[in-house]
Amino acid sequence: MSNHDRNRQALVDRLVDHEYVSDPAVIEALRSVPRHAFVPEGSRGRAYEDRPLPIGEDQTISAPHMVGLMTDLLDVVAGDTVLEVGTGCGYHAAVVAEIVGGENVYSVEYSESLAETAREQLHELGYAVAVRSGDGSQGWPAHAPYDAAYLTCAPSELPAAIHGQVRTGGRIVAPIGDHRQHLYRYTKTDAGLDRESHGAVRFVPMR
Ligand code: SAH
């Protein structure tokens, strides 16, 4: 086992101990995806600390416990289709791809250059995730309806287009708010959206 592998297993053990993740499929996914491959070279030595790291353009890769918690809340199984808004470096998309299959993950990234780097890294590691650059507040209508969607950047309110592209019964996990943000899980019902809060969070704002 390499140092990276050893450090990753120790990190995931801590996330499980602290009850950030409980779904065995999510735990397995966190154990498998090489986070160090997604962060800039200068940060690789810190890839298995539980903290956000800079990925360029003033953006950050979320802390591992946040990726674990959000993926747990998404409640997805193999074969589900998932929309991600905010590809960043592609790490979170890879974690979700481990569970649902990379060909079922559609990710929109505002920055053309981050989208390009993430796409290359994902494909090099064998994740067939589709990455498009553009404004994710419009979702990705071509592949809707999705079983689940999540945002890794915070809008002031949940964009209507994303709500519209998730099937009834589907979940949306998103940080919402300007200065003070909360992480919410929405479940789409015939009547609208049920919403539960999962605490105060800090994400980059949606652009
Ligand atoms: N999941 C990512 C975290 C990315 S940070 C990872 O694992 O690395 C949030 C990302 O959201 C940034 O890359 C930022 O460029 C992107 N973003 C911000 N506003 C956006 C928008 N309107 N549409 C799509 N992406 C957006």
Side-chain angles (χ1 to χ4, degrees):
M1 225 196 244
S2 72
N3 267 346
H4 280 314
D5 292 339
R6 229 187 332 269
N7 292 342
R8 181 165 67 254
Q9 301 316 320
L11 167 66
V12 178
D13 289 343
R14 291 196 297 278
L15 300 184
V16 172
D17 284 349
H18 288 94
E19 298 179 358
Y20 287 116
V21 279
S22 58
D23 180 341
V26 179
I27 296 168
E28 200 46 47
L30 293 169
R31 290 199 185 285
S32 304
V33 181
R35 188 172 187 254
H36 64 272
F38 289 93
V39 303
E41 243 171 86
S43 300
R44 292 218 168 133
R46 309 175 73 189
Y48 297 109
E49 292 174 19
D50 188 19
R51 53 168 62 223
L53 291 169
I55 55 172
E57 298 193 26
D58 281 336
Q59 304 301 314
T60 51
I61 176 175
S62 305
H65 76 269
M66 188 53 64
V67 172
L69 172 65
M70 290 178 72
T71 310
D72 227 56
L73 291 172
L74 266 190
D75 218 354
V76 287
V77 296
D80 280 352
T81 56
V82 181
L83 170 69
E84 174 182 71
V85 176
T87 321
C89 65
Y91 169 73
H92 198 160
V95 170
V96 174
E98 284 282 345
I99 302 167
V100 303
E103 67 285 3
N104 298 316
V105 180
Y106 298 91
S107 185
V108 188
E109 168 55 50
Y110 188 86
S111 152
E112 182 115 26
S113 76
L114 286 175
E116 180 64 32
T117 308
R119 190 185 294 119
E120 279 171 13
Q121 189 55 65
L122 283 161
H123 293 177
E124 194 175 309
L125 290 169
Y127 298 106
V129 172
V131 180
R132 171 173 90 73
S133 64
D135 179 6
S137 68
Q138 301 309 305
W140 192 339
H143 307 286
Y146 299 97
D147 295 297
Y150 64 99
L151 280 59
T152 69
C153 48
S156 323
E157 284 174 40
L158 184 68
I162 293 172
H163 171 192
Q165 289 170 27
V166 170
R167 70 165 169 84
T168 302
R171 282 83 49 209
I172 303 169
V173 175
I176 305 286
D178 296 321
H179 298 294
R180 294 163 54 86
Q181 304 167 356
H182 284 87
L183 184 70
Y184 292 110
R185 173 168 64 182
Y186 302 87
T187 304
K188 187 162 166 175
T189 67
D190 288 325
L193 285 175
D194 285 344
R195 185 177 90 165
E196 62 192 39
S197 174
H198 289 274
V201 290
R202 197 176 172 83
F203 281 74
V204 296
M206 180 175 252
R207 305 197 244 182

